[in-house]
Amino acid sequence: EAGVTQFPSHSVIEKGQTVTLRCDPISGHDNLYWYRRVMGKEIKFLLHFVKESKQDESGMPNNRFLAERTGGTYSTLKVQPAELEDSGVYFCASSQDREIHGYTFGSGTRLTVV
Amino acid sequence: GENVEQHPSTLSVQEGDSAVIKCTYSDSASNYFPWYKQELGKRPQLIIDIRSNVGEKKDQRIAVTLNKTAKHFSLHITETQPEDSAVYFCAASTADNTGKLIFGQGTTLQVKP
């Protein structure tokens, strides 16, 4: 079984540019989560999809962030326009059902905004 | 809001010694507490977890204890090895049980050979 896949693994962009991160969850997993770790700080929740619907987007920092999950498969997270404080590592995770258990994270996308 | 505090932020031990990392959580409705290990440049990996109906769980050199009354939980690593060096994160589930986790700030553990 393939794990959670994210790409790109690294992205360096200038302030004001747009970046799109992608997450491919484990096949068949309805739940998909985005998290972010800013350097030296905790891993913070961004949002949660159930299939193609946003279940909880309370962690999204502001309207420069847009997440989609068309068709309930892979998800994208777009940052437009990027700001310096958006730098960090963005992780995706997926799980099959609503029962609470530890889920598998992707390897993350390290975003650097310069 | 929901919050998880983790201490210490850094921990250095000699190989063979024990390491203890402590977390406190704010939401008394939290009922699931996983621990993740993140090695440099790699993804966070689940190493052990505990549910609120259990006070202690052990897996080889790793154990987790939970005190629901005090809203504390701790990770214990015995006989530490250099490969235990990593950042460790504790987390707690949220009251809505949607799978969302609230993470602590992380502990950088260094095991010196």
Side-chain angles (χ1 to χ4, degrees):
Chain A
E1 177 184 71
V4 178
T5 305
Q6 291 185 249
F7 55 91
S9 56
H10 292 83
S11 181
V12 180
I13 62 171
E14 291 185 350
K15 176 182 171 181
Q17 289 187 322
T18 297
V19 62
T20 300
L21 315 181
R22 173 168 167 152
C23 169
D24 285 69
I26 294 172
S27 179
H29 281 192
D30 288 341
N31 294 281
L32 186 150
Y33 306 86
W34 282 98
Y35 286 82
R36 175 174 74 173
R37 186 181 187 211
V38 173
M39 185 162 51
K41 297 195 174 181
E42 75 270 30
I43 301 171
K44 288 196 80 171
F45 170 83
L46 295 178
L47 86 159
H48 169 206
F49 282 99
V50 178
K51 297 184 180 178
E52 67 276 8
S53 300
K54 291 175 186 173
Q55 174 78 16
D56 179 356
E57 52 183 332
S58 61
M60 294 287 264
N62 50 60
N63 59 10
R64 295 185 294 102
F65 288 73
L66 175 64
E68 294 181 323
R69 193 183 181 195
T70 307
T73 54
Y74 71 90
S75 174
T76 57
L77 179 64
K78 181 191 286 189
V79 185
Q80 178 183 29
E83 297 288 345
L84 298 179
E85 64 264 26
D86 300 333
S87 296
V89 182
Y90 290 76
F91 291 104
C92 176
S94 71
S95 69
Q96 189 167 23
D97 51 43
R98 289 282 294 271
E99 181 186 351
I100 305 303
H101 57 82
Y103 32 65
T104 301
F105 281 96
S107 296
T109 295
R110 180 174 295 277
L111 174 64
T112 303
V113 183
V114 297
Chain B
E2 298 146 330
N3 186 49
V4 174
E5 294 288 333
Q6 182 172 347
H7 298 280
S9 56
T10 60
L11 179 59
S12 182
V13 300
Q14 210 64 39
E15 182 177 0
D17 288 350
S18 294
V20 180
I21 302 170
K22 299 182 179 181
C23 290
T24 59
Y25 59 99
S26 61
D27 190 347
S28 57
S30 295
N31 59 15
Y32 175 70
F33 307 91
W35 285 87
Y36 286 85
K37 174 185 179 182
Q38 186 180 19
E39 296 176 78
L40 193 61
K42 297 189 177 181
R43 72 189 72 196
Q45 291 198 302
L46 178 70
I47 56 171
I48 196 168
D49 56 14
I50 192 167
R51 296 186 187 274
S52 58
N53 57 348
V54 174
E56 184 174 358
K57 183 175 179 181
K58 193 172 181 181
D59 182 3
Q60 298 183 342
R61 296 186 297 108
I62 293 173
V64 57
T65 58
L66 172 65
N67 182 330
K68 279 198 69 180
T69 303
K71 293 191 280 188
H72 288 172
F73 59 115
S74 300
L75 178 71
H76 303 254
I77 306 173
T78 58
E79 300 171 26
T80 53
Q81 301 167 4
E83 52 265 37
D84 294 330
S85 297
V87 180
Y88 291 80
F89 293 95
C90 63
S93 63
T94 54
D96 57 10
N97 282 327
T98 58
K100 173 182 174 182
L101 295 175
I102 306 297
F103 283 84
Q105 296 88 340
T107 296
T108 301
L109 173 65
Q110 182 186 29
V111 180
K112 298 177 183 175

